[in-house]
Amino acid sequence: MVGWRTRVTSVLFAVVVTSFHARAIFMTDGGDNLILLMAVYLVFTACGRRWSLDARRDRLRTARAGSAPEPARSFRSQRLQDARVVLATVVHNCGVFVIAAQVCFLYGSAGLYKVQGDSWGGGTALHYVLNLELFQPWPALSHLADDYAILIAIAGYMTVLLQVAFPFVLFGRLKYPVLTLLLSMHLGIAVLMGLPLFSGAMIVADAVFLPDRFYTALLQLCRRVARRMGVRRPEPGRGTGERLVPPQVRPDASGPQHRATPTAPKDTVPVSQLRSDRS
C-alpha cells in the first residue's frame, strides 16, 4: 500500500492472498474473489511509479545526482536497458488491460443476471435485500431506507442500467457520471449491507478507469487546499542551505530613514555561519 519495493512486494502479496483465500468461507463476502484476481494482476503492473516510497526514493536519487554526467555505457548495455524499459511498459499495459477487462466482465455479467430476475424487473429486489437479517448492520437504517418504495425501485433500475451499460461508456465522457454513480452505489452497499471490504475492492477496481490527468488534478487540488489552510512546503532553495540575513532598516544621520539596498551588505554573513559561531 505504501509502495515499498513494489516489484518484490507485489509477488509476496499475491502469494499471501492466494494462501489465505477461502480459509474462512463464512467470513467471505464476494470481494475476496476480486481481491484474489487483482492481486495476481498487480504483479504485472508498475504500481510503484507514482505516489509511493519507490517513487520518492527515485526522486531523491535524481536530486542528489544533480547535473553530474551519467556514466558512459556500452552499446550492448544500452540496448539491454532500452529493451528492459520497453518490456516493462508492455507488461504493465497488458496488466492494466486485463484488470479493465475483468471489471467489465464482472459488471456486464452481474447486470445481465439481474435482467433475468423477476424481482429486479419489478423493482422489488432492493426491498428484499434491505430486509435480510444477515445483511442488516443497522436495522433501523435499513427500515428507514425501505420506507421510500419509489426511491428503492428507482435505485434498483439504475443499478441494472449502470452495470449493463458500464462496458459501453468507457471510451467517452459519459464514464465519469457512471463511475460517480457506481461509487455512490458501493458506498450504500458498504453502509446498508455491512460489506465494506467488497465495496472497497470494487471502488479500487473502478479507479483503474480514471485517466492520469484526473490524479494530476487531484494532487494539485490537494496542494491548493493545503496552501489555503496554511500548510505550505518550503520552496526550493529556502529553508535549507545558505541563506542571507535580511537587510535591516537603519536611520540615516542626515535625514529620514532609508531602506537598505536590495544587495546584501558586505558584513552580511550566512545563517549557517551564525549558527556555527553560536555553537
Side-chain angles (χ1 to χ4, degrees), residues 90 125 211 259:
V90 172
R259 291 188 176 272

Side-chain angles (χ1 to χ4, degrees), residues 37-38 41 92-105:
L37 294 173
M38 291 298 174
Y41 302 153
H92 168 79
N93 292 337
C94 291
V96 174
F97 175 77
V98 173
I99 292 175
Q102 179 68 50
V103 177
C104 289
F105 280 124

Side-chain angles (χ1 to χ4, degrees), residues 145-220:
D146 191 35
D147 291 338
Y148 300 92
I150 297 179
L151 294 180
I152 290 298
I154 294 175
Y157 290 131
M158 286 296 298
T159 300
V160 178
L161 179 62
L162 290 174
Q163 291 182 346
V164 174
F166 181 80
F168 303 100
V169 299
L170 297 178
F171 303 100
R173 295 184 180 274
L174 193 60
K175 70 177 179 180
Y176 296 107
V178 170
L179 289 174
T180 303
L181 292 175
L182 288 174
L183 174 62
S184 303
M185 182 187 74
H186 291 308
L187 292 177
I189 292 174
V191 175
L192 294 176
M193 298 182 62
L195 300 174
L197 296 180
F198 169 77
S199 299
M202 292 302 304
I203 291 173
V204 172
D206 292 342
V208 176
F209 297 95
L210 295 174
D212 292 345
R213 60 179 178 272
F214 171 82
Y215 295 101
T216 304
L218 181 62
L219 183 60
Q220 294 176 355

